[in-house]
Amino acid sequence: MDALSCSPAAITNPRRATLAAAAARRRGLSCLGRRHAENEGPGSRAFLGCRGIGQGGVVKNEIKNAGGQRDRAAIDFSDPGWKPKFQRDFESRFDLPHLKDVFPDAVPIPSTFCLRMRSPTEEFADGYPSDEKWHGYINNSDRVLLKVIHYSSPTSAGAQCIDPDCSWVEQWVHRAGPREEIYFRPEEVKAAIVTCGGLCPGLNDVIRQIVITLEIYGVKKIVGIPFGYRGFGDEGLTEMPLSRKVVQNVHLSGGSLLGVSRGGPSIPEIVDTMERRGINMLFVLGGNGTHAGANAIHNECRKRRLRVAVVGVPKTIDNDILLMDKTFGFDTAVEEAQRAINSAYIEAHSAYHGIGIVKLMGRSSGYIAMHASLASGQIDICLIPEVPFHLHGPHGVLRHLKYLIETKGSAVVCVAEGAGQNFLEKTNAKDASGNIVLSDIGVHIQQETKKYFREIGVPVDVKYIDPTYMIRACRANASDGILCTVLGQNAVHGAFAGYSGITVGICNTHYVYFPIPEVIQYPRSVDPNSRMWHRCLTSTGQPDFI
Ligand SMILES: Nc1ncnc2c1ncn2[C@@H]1O[C@H](COP(=O)(O)OP(=O)(O)OP(=O)(O)O)[C@@H](O)[C@H]1O
Ligand SMILES: O=P(O)(O)OC[C@H]1O[C@](O)(CO)[C@@H](O)[C@@H]1O
Ligand SMILES: [Mg+2]
């Protein structure tokens, strides 16, 4: 069935095609679309069949477009001018909010960031230093291409098309980096850094780079807000003065120098505190929730007409922020997960009928589980939230485990924490930030596995490993260290350039700024029709579990 599911035979034989389409749906493939494409030729019908788009020329575009966004507006593809209109809309969506939007008369000054001649101890009594010959700045009009694959058909694996013909539509986003003109005088800046949400490898590296870069601009007043947004509400939590000296070695250990938290004060309370303390540059390190907060702080500052720059740095081992190649900490988490997987493999391999089960983080996205499975090459079954599965029944995970025990003698399962929540009783519990507290799928699979093999009278030795907090409390690896360095520096450049309500990211290996709302519309998740998920299936050799 698997072999047939997208084969030409499935396309020409209607019964097989039905079976194939069902199998493809289970895997999240676009086989149905391919069948239509073969029968009716390429173009809009194929696109309709593939993605279930509505009738007629005006198409309610519910798919993810090439920017990874769910389109909000209906696009009339019969209009020959739809493409430039789309691009204009895209450009305005990705335009970066700037202080000049609120203060049109704001006058920039030449940048104080110059690598040739800066001295961090310099005072500005005699004017700002400058080096007109230095060409290290980014032009405000520099752009980076958001998506680089031209899919020739919606049926291509992982295709993200805007229109039925999958036309090539260039989508440009703003290049990050130092600008020649800046909108803050360094001696008037009080910069604050806050780290929110769960821990993530690299937080200290980013804090360190923000401090170092601020000092190179000439900023003297730099503080850390203790324990996330909570530090803005609790007067007992005092600001931590930061300098190059303080942060020099912080990247050598994991965690956050400043501490983290979930929940905290309301947005007006946060902005009240910022006003009271004279904070006019805020660097916010966190995930989706933190960025929603950062954007709300930015809006509140605008409402109050405060000259404040709020800049985010996306932090999440889950890698669930839209549009970027990856978030910092993800690589390290995947690498650290290898240790747990390898231990589970050795335990399983050394035991008689050994089964190893490893649960990895990933509330709604299976990136860590998928990448860790791919990297290790030791996983037989990878289960992620994006791909439904059965535990029991002829196509269930347990039946496949029996097959693996019979044929290989051992097996290793990697499950993301958000997978298979439908099997578990909902707790209805929420954390301080309002995130649903998930039930433990790892423990459930462990129990069901033991029960199943007991019932069929096959002895197995099940070992369960939950390295959850170990994979995010460690220090950043080299590749994350570099990513953190660049993101931290760019966050400072963005703030000095006068942008606010933005975040930094890596996009096709280049560094960019995004308006915050564009990256937090919903959590980024693994596309079951992506080449990466297909590669994972190829590597594990697992069948559909539906
Ligand atoms: N919609 C929102 N508006 C304003 N603030 C928010 C919002 N969602 C969350 N926050 C605040 O942001 C902070 C972090 O949120 P959350 O705990 O969801 O972590 P996160 O940033 O998503 O990171 P993680 O990836 O670790 O979950 C909390 O202090 C929370 O109160
Ligand atoms: O136990 P905590 O600290 O609330 O964090 C758990 C959550 O943090 C995350 O790692 C996100 O950072 C999720 O994968 C996980 O659900
Ligand atoms: Mg979150």
Side-chain angles (χ1 to χ4, degrees):
M1 165 86 93
D2 277 329
L4 282 178
S5 63
C6 281
S7 69
I11 289 160
T12 47
N13 177 324
R15 202 185 97 76
R16 279 176 156 188
T18 311
L19 291 172
R25 270 196 304 277
R26 293 201 292 268
R27 281 192 167 207
L29 303 181
S30 301
C31 209
L32 192 61
R34 188 177 296 190
R35 182 160 53 93
H36 282 226
E38 290 278 334
N39 291 343
E40 295 157 13
S44 61
R45 293 281 298 180
F47 186 71
L48 296 177
C50 186
R51 298 287 187 180
I53 307 288
Q55 303 292 310
V58 180
V59 176
K60 182 90 174 69
N61 192 353
E62 287 167 341
I63 61 163
K64 290 175 187 176
N65 69 26
Q69 307 293 302
R70 278 194 191 109
D71 262 9
R72 285 158 285 199
I75 302 172
D76 180 1
F77 293 121
S78 65
D79 172 0
W82 73 264
K83 203 186 287 186
K85 269 190 205 151
F86 177 91
Q87 282 176 313
R88 273 197 304 276
D89 174 53
F90 184 90
E91 207 177 306
S92 79
R93 271 168 47 201
F94 283 79
D95 201 21
L96 303 175
H98 195 276
L99 286 183
K100 284 195 84 159
D101 304 340
V102 182
F103 305 101
D105 300 333
V107 180
I109 60 168
S111 180
T112 55
F113 178 83
C114 174
L115 293 175
R116 290 269 171 87
M117 54 177 297
R118 290 293 313 140
S119 155
T121 54
E122 201 158 357
E123 299 298 340
F124 298 110
D126 302 324
Y128 298 102
S130 72
D131 179 354
E132 279 157 25
K133 292 195 204 82
W134 196 61
H135 297 295
Y137 300 110
I138 298 291
N139 192 300
N140 279 339
S141 312
D142 287 357
R143 297 288 183 272
V144 171
L145 203 50
L146 185 64
K147 295 286 167 182
V148 290
I149 299 182
H150 180 190
Y151 299 97
S152 61
S153 155
T155 60
S156 295
Q160 297 172 330
C161 307
I162 295 163
D163 70 322
D165 293 328
C166 227
S167 307
W168 173 247
V169 184
E170 286 174 8
Q171 296 167 90
W172 299 101
V173 293
H174 292 241
R175 186 178 175 207
R179 271 45 180 180
E180 201 163 2
E181 291 187 327
I182 58 175
Y183 283 81
F184 287 91
R185 292 174 181 273
E187 72 274 24
E188 291 171 4
V189 169
K190 178 173 178 187
I193 308 172
V194 63
T195 56
C196 315
L199 284 183
C200 179
L203 280 167
N204 284 335
D205 303 59
V206 179
I207 294 170
R208 179 173 181 270
Q209 283 303 321
I210 290 175
V211 171
I212 287 173
T213 312
L214 282 166
E215 282 199 353
I216 292 179
Y217 271 92
V219 177
K220 300 280 168 37
K221 283 178 275 175
I222 310 171
V223 296
I225 306 297
F227 300 107
Y229 288 138
R230 186 179 291 264
F232 282 113
D234 187 336
E235 283 305 320
L237 297 173
T238 47
E239 295 172 349
M240 181 189 290
L242 297 174
S243 63
R244 182 186 269 263
K245 201 170 163 204
V246 173
V247 299
Q248 192 59 42
N249 293 318
V250 289
H251 60 304
L252 301 180
S253 61
S256 166
L257 165 74
L258 306 173
V260 292
S261 72
R262 298 193 189 273
S266 69
I267 299 301
E269 280 175 284
I270 292 174
V271 179
D272 286 348
T273 305
M274 287 172 62
E275 270 199 90
R276 211 169 45 248
R277 297 183 187 170
I279 294 167
N280 54 1
M281 254 187 211
L282 178 62
F283 299 96
V284 181
L285 283 52
N288 278 296
T290 306
H291 273 73
N295 201 50
I297 294 170
H298 155 76
N299 285 330
E300 181 69 21
C301 289
R302 282 195 155 191
K303 205 170 92 189
R304 299 187 191 187
R305 296 186 60 78
L306 302 174
R307 282 184 190 240
V308 171
V310 183
V311 178
V313 183
K315 163 243 65 146
T316 160
I317 57 166
D318 291 1
N319 201 26
D320 61 355
I321 308 280
L322 293 170
L323 304 178
M324 26 200 96
D325 297 356
K326 61 178 176 182
T327 48
F328 77 80
F330 172 67
D331 258 9
T332 310
V334 169
E335 197 169 300
E336 197 62 20
Q338 302 305 296
R339 297 200 210 206
I341 290 176
N342 193 244
S343 303
Y345 176 82
I346 288 173
E347 286 283 349
H349 209 60
S350 309
Y352 175 67
H353 284 182
I355 296 178
I357 300 165
V358 180
K359 185 186 78 172
L360 297 175
M361 277 192 172
R363 206 198 295 274
S364 54
S365 309
Y367 284 103
I368 302 179
M370 176 174 76
H371 281 246
S373 299
L374 269 168
S376 73
Q378 294 173 320
I379 294 296
D380 300 291
I381 299 174
C382 175
L383 303 170
I384 59 172
E386 295 87 341
V387 179
F389 62 92
H390 285 155
L391 272 182
H392 296 276
H395 303 295
V397 170
L398 298 172
R399 178 68 192 75
H400 188 58
L401 276 176
K402 176 172 175 274
Y403 166 79
L404 293 169
I405 291 296
E406 284 165 1
T407 54
K408 287 178 58 182
S410 65
V412 188
V413 180
C414 176
V415 59
E417 66 172 328
Q421 288 295 308
N422 49 317
F423 302 128
L424 307 168
E425 215 165 288
K426 288 199 171 45
T427 61
N428 285 331
K430 296 202 170 160
D431 68 18
S433 297
N435 301 306
I436 291 165
V437 175
L438 299 176
S439 304
D440 198 328
I441 184 65
V443 169
H444 181 72
I445 291 180
Q446 178 199 24
Q447 289 166 347
E448 290 301 301
T449 304
K450 286 182 179 170
K451 203 163 95 194
Y452 171 78
F453 281 98
R454 207 167 39 239
E455 280 169 8
I456 61 171
V458 175
V460 286
D461 194 348
V462 182
K463 297 288 189 324
Y464 174 51
I465 300 182
D466 179 352
T468 291
Y469 294 109
M470 292 171 70
I471 69 164
R472 73 175 201 191
C474 52
R475 68 171 278 201
N477 67 12
S479 106
D480 270 330
I482 295 169
L483 181 58
C484 291
T485 298
V486 183
L487 296 179
Q489 292 185 6
N490 280 334
V492 176
H493 296 315
F496 265 103
Y499 298 121
S500 179
I502 63 158
T503 194
V504 293
I506 179 166
C507 186
N508 300 312
T509 73
H510 298 282
Y511 297 91
V512 299
Y513 296 134
F514 292 112
I516 290 176
E518 291 300 329
V519 301
I520 56 165
Q521 291 181 36
Y522 50 93
R524 178 181 175 213
S525 56
V526 172
D527 176 357
N529 192 35
S530 63
R531 285 295 302 130
M532 211 45 132
W533 179 243
H534 294 178
R535 289 175 191 123
C536 189
L537 296 178
T538 304
S539 170
T540 60
Q542 72 196 67
D544 287 336
F545 292 118
I546 293 279

